[in-house]
mmCIF file of all heavy atoms in Angstrom:
data_model
loop_
_atom_site.group_PDB
_atom_site.id
_atom_site.type_symbol
_atom_site.label_atom_id
_atom_site.label_comp_id
_atom_site.label_asym_id
_atom_site.label_seq_id
_atom_site.Cartn_x
_atom_site.Cartn_y
_atom_site.Cartn_z
ATOM 1 N N THR H 132 96.232 97.005 54.799
ATOM 2 C CA THR H 132 94.876 97.236 55.303
ATOM 3 C C THR H 132 94.274 95.918 55.761
ATOM 4 O O THR H 132 94.474 94.877 55.120
ATOM 5 C CB THR H 132 93.993 97.860 54.198
ATOM 6 O OG1 THR H 132 94.440 99.186 53.943
ATOM 7 C CG2 THR H 132 92.534 97.915 54.607
ATOM 8 N N PHE H 133 93.545 95.961 56.845
ATOM 9 C CA PHE H 133 92.737 94.829 57.273
ATOM 10 C C PHE H 133 91.280 95.226 57.124
ATOM 11 O O PHE H 133 90.893 96.331 57.529
ATOM 12 C CB PHE H 133 93.049 94.452 58.725
ATOM 13 C CG PHE H 133 94.423 93.882 58.893
ATOM 14 C CD1 PHE H 133 95.478 94.690 59.297
ATOM 15 C CD2 PHE H 133 94.672 92.544 58.614
ATOM 16 C CE1 PHE H 133 96.754 94.178 59.423
ATOM 17 C CE2 PHE H 133 95.952 92.020 58.739
ATOM 18 C CZ PHE H 133 97.000 92.836 59.145
ATOM 19 N N ALA H 134 90.505 94.327 56.529
ATOM 20 C CA ALA H 134 89.090 94.630 56.302
ATOM 21 C C ALA H 134 88.245 93.442 56.722
ATOM 22 O O ALA H 134 88.649 92.284 56.563
ATOM 23 C CB ALA H 134 88.852 94.939 54.823
ATOM 24 N N GLY H 135 87.091 93.732 57.263
ATOM 25 C CA GLY H 135 86.169 92.675 57.652
ATOM 26 C C GLY H 135 84.761 93.031 57.232
ATOM 27 O O GLY H 135 84.409 94.217 57.139
ATOM 28 N N ASP H 136 83.967 92.035 56.917
ATOM 29 C CA ASP H 136 82.561 92.288 56.618
ATOM 30 C C ASP H 136 81.700 91.139 57.096
ATOM 31 O O ASP H 136 82.163 90.001 57.188
ATOM 32 C CB ASP H 136 82.335 92.548 55.120
ATOM 33 C CG ASP H 136 82.724 91.375 54.249
ATOM 34 O OD1 ASP H 136 82.063 90.323 54.326
ATOM 35 O OD2 ASP H 136 83.703 91.506 53.493
ATOM 36 N N TRP H 137 80.506 91.462 57.438
ATOM 37 C CA TRP H 137 79.495 90.466 57.805
ATOM 38 C C TRP H 137 78.248 90.833 57.018
ATOM 39 O O TRP H 137 77.851 91.991 56.972
ATOM 40 C CB TRP H 137 79.215 90.507 59.308
ATOM 41 C CG TRP H 137 78.081 89.625 59.721
ATOM 42 C CD1 TRP H 137 78.130 88.275 59.994
ATOM 43 C CD2 TRP H 137 76.713 90.009 59.911
ATOM 44 N NE1 TRP H 137 76.876 87.811 60.326
ATOM 45 C CE2 TRP H 137 75.994 88.857 60.294
ATOM 46 C CE3 TRP H 137 76.030 91.226 59.799
ATOM 47 C CZ2 TRP H 137 74.621 88.888 60.554
ATOM 48 C CZ3 TRP H 137 74.665 91.250 60.054
ATOM 49 C CH2 TRP H 137 73.982 90.084 60.437
ATOM 50 N N GLU H 138 77.671 89.844 56.371
ATOM 51 C CA GLU H 138 76.572 90.153 55.459
ATOM 52 C C GLU H 138 75.531 89.052 55.478
ATOM 53 O O GLU H 138 75.854 87.871 55.483
ATOM 54 C CB GLU H 138 77.142 90.310 54.035
ATOM 55 C CG GLU H 138 76.149 90.801 53.017
ATOM 56 C CD GLU H 138 76.799 91.024 51.639
ATOM 57 O OE1 GLU H 138 78.031 91.145 51.572
ATOM 58 O OE2 GLU H 138 76.054 91.047 50.653
ATOM 59 N N THR H 139 74.281 89.467 55.535
ATOM 60 C CA THR H 139 73.176 88.553 55.260
ATOM 61 C C THR H 139 72.513 89.097 53.995
ATOM 62 O O THR H 139 72.999 90.067 53.414
ATOM 63 C CB THR H 139 72.140 88.521 56.405
ATOM 64 O OG1 THR H 139 71.446 89.778 56.431
ATOM 65 C CG2 THR H 139 72.826 88.299 57.752
ATOM 66 N N ARG H 140 71.411 88.496 53.598
ATOM 67 C CA ARG H 140 70.744 89.058 52.422
ATOM 68 C C ARG H 140 70.045 90.372 52.777
ATOM 69 O O ARG H 140 69.691 91.135 51.892
ATOM 70 C CB ARG H 140 69.734 88.045 51.853
ATOM 71 C CG ARG H 140 70.415 86.809 51.291
ATOM 72 C CD ARG H 140 69.425 85.867 50.670
ATOM 73 N NE ARG H 140 68.802 86.456 49.513
ATOM 74 C CZ ARG H 140 67.551 86.209 49.128
ATOM 75 N NH1 ARG H 140 66.798 85.393 49.833
ATOM 76 N NH2 ARG H 140 67.067 86.786 48.045
ATOM 77 N N ARG H 141 69.869 90.631 54.051
ATOM 78 C CA ARG H 141 69.147 91.826 54.484
ATOM 79 C C ARG H 141 70.064 92.905 55.058
ATOM 80 O O ARG H 141 69.838 94.091 54.880
ATOM 81 C CB ARG H 141 68.091 91.416 55.518
ATOM 82 C CG ARG H 141 67.290 92.543 56.103
ATOM 83 C CD ARG H 141 66.269 93.109 55.139
ATOM 84 N NE ARG H 141 65.128 92.229 54.962
ATOM 85 C CZ ARG H 141 64.115 92.489 54.127
ATOM 86 N NH1 ARG H 141 64.132 93.591 53.388
ATOM 87 N NH2 ARG H 141 63.125 91.638 53.979
ATOM 88 N N TYR H 142 71.103 92.485 55.802
ATOM 89 C CA TYR H 142 71.954 93.448 56.519
ATOM 90 C C TYR H 142 73.417 93.290 56.139
ATOM 91 O O TYR H 142 73.858 92.188 55.770
ATOM 92 C CB TYR H 142 71.806 93.264 58.042
ATOM 93 C CG TYR H 142 70.396 93.398 58.534
ATOM 94 C CD1 TYR H 142 69.659 92.276 58.891
ATOM 95 C CD2 TYR H 142 69.786 94.649 58.613
ATOM 96 C CE1 TYR H 142 68.357 92.385 59.321
ATOM 97 C CE2 TYR H 142 68.482 94.768 59.042
ATOM 98 C CZ TYR H 142 67.756 93.637 59.389
ATOM 99 O OH TYR H 142 66.460 93.750 59.805
ATOM 100 N N LEU H 143 74.145 94.376 56.281
ATOM 101 C CA LEU H 143 75.567 94.373 55.941
ATOM 102 C C LEU H 143 76.317 95.265 56.929
ATOM 103 O O LEU H 143 75.854 96.343 57.289
ATOM 104 C CB LEU H 143 75.727 94.903 54.513
ATOM 105 C CG LEU H 143 77.093 95.143 53.912
ATOM 106 C CD1 LEU H 143 76.983 95.046 52.395
ATOM 107 C CD2 LEU H 143 77.688 96.509 54.267
ATOM 108 N N ALA H 144 77.464 94.780 57.376
ATOM 109 C CA ALA H 144 78.354 95.620 58.193
ATOM 110 C C ALA H 144 79.773 95.398 57.685
ATOM 111 O O ALA H 144 80.176 94.259 57.423
ATOM 112 C CB ALA H 144 78.242 95.235 59.665
ATOM 113 N N ALA H 145 80.517 96.476 57.504
ATOM 114 C CA ALA H 145 81.889 96.350 57.002
ATOM 115 C C ALA H 145 82.772 97.372 57.695
ATOM 116 O O ALA H 145 82.325 98.481 58.042
ATOM 117 C CB ALA H 145 81.917 96.572 55.485
ATOM 118 N N TYR H 146 84.015 96.981 57.892
ATOM 119 C CA TYR H 146 84.966 97.879 58.546
ATOM 120 C C TYR H 146 86.348 97.611 57.963
ATOM 121 O O TYR H 146 86.715 96.464 57.706
ATOM 122 C CB TYR H 146 84.975 97.626 60.060
ATOM 123 C CG TYR H 146 86.074 98.377 60.779
ATOM 124 C CD1 TYR H 146 85.943 99.735 61.047
ATOM 125 C CD2 TYR H 146 87.242 97.728 61.167
ATOM 126 C CE1 TYR H 146 86.956 100.435 61.686
ATOM 127 C CE2 TYR H 146 88.252 98.415 61.816
ATOM 128 C CZ TYR H 146 88.113 99.767 62.069
ATOM 129 O OH TYR H 146 89.112 100.453 62.685
ATOM 130 N N SER H 147 87.113 98.669 57.753
ATOM 131 C CA SER H 147 88.505 98.474 57.324
ATOM 132 C C SER H 147 89.389 99.500 58.011
ATOM 133 O O SER H 147 88.962 100.631 58.297
ATOM 134 C CB SER H 147 88.632 98.591 55.799
ATOM 135 O OG SER H 147 88.440 99.926 55.388
ATOM 136 N N VAL H 148 90.602 99.075 58.307
ATOM 137 C CA VAL H 148 91.583 99.988 58.890
ATOM 138 C C VAL H 148 92.886 99.800 58.117
ATOM 139 O O VAL H 148 93.322 98.678 57.869
ATOM 140 C CB VAL H 148 91.755 99.739 60.408
ATOM 141 C CG1 VAL H 148 92.170 98.305 60.714
ATOM 142 C CG2 VAL H 148 92.770 100.721 61.005
ATOM 143 N N GLY H 149 93.478 100.915 57.702
ATOM 144 C CA GLY H 149 94.676 100.853 56.868
ATOM 145 C C GLY H 149 95.845 101.582 57.485
ATOM 146 O O GLY H 149 95.666 102.661 58.094
ATOM 147 N N PHE H 150 97.019 100.972 57.362
ATOM 148 C CA PHE H 150 98.261 101.591 57.831
ATOM 149 C C PHE H 150 99.152 101.770 56.609
ATOM 150 O O PHE H 150 99.287 100.850 55.804
ATOM 151 C CB PHE H 150 98.965 100.684 58.842
ATOM 152 C CG PHE H 150 98.120 100.367 60.039
ATOM 153 C CD1 PHE H 150 97.242 99.300 60.010
ATOM 154 C CD2 PHE H 150 98.189 101.143 61.180
ATOM 155 C CE1 PHE H 150 96.450 99.001 61.105
ATOM 156 C CE2 PHE H 150 97.392 100.854 62.278
ATOM 157 C CZ PHE H 150 96.522 99.780 62.239
ATOM 158 N N GLU H 151 99.761 102.931 56.477
ATOM 159 C CA GLU H 151 100.563 103.202 55.282
ATOM 160 C C GLU H 151 101.875 103.876 55.641
ATOM 161 O O GLU H 151 101.986 104.537 56.659
ATOM 162 C CB GLU H 151 99.801 104.103 54.301
ATOM 163 C CG GLU H 151 98.513 103.531 53.813
ATOM 164 C CD GLU H 151 97.380 103.788 54.780
ATOM 165 O OE1 GLU H 151 97.437 104.813 55.492
ATOM 166 O OE2 GLU H 151 96.462 102.967 54.851
#
Side-chain angles (χ1 to χ4, degrees):
Chain H
T132 291
F133 292 97
D136 61 67
W137 173 84
E138 187 176 341
T139 69
R140 294 183 65 212
R141 178 74 74 182
Y142 303 104
L143 174 155
Y146 172 78
S147 70
V148 58
F150 302 87
E151 300 84 29

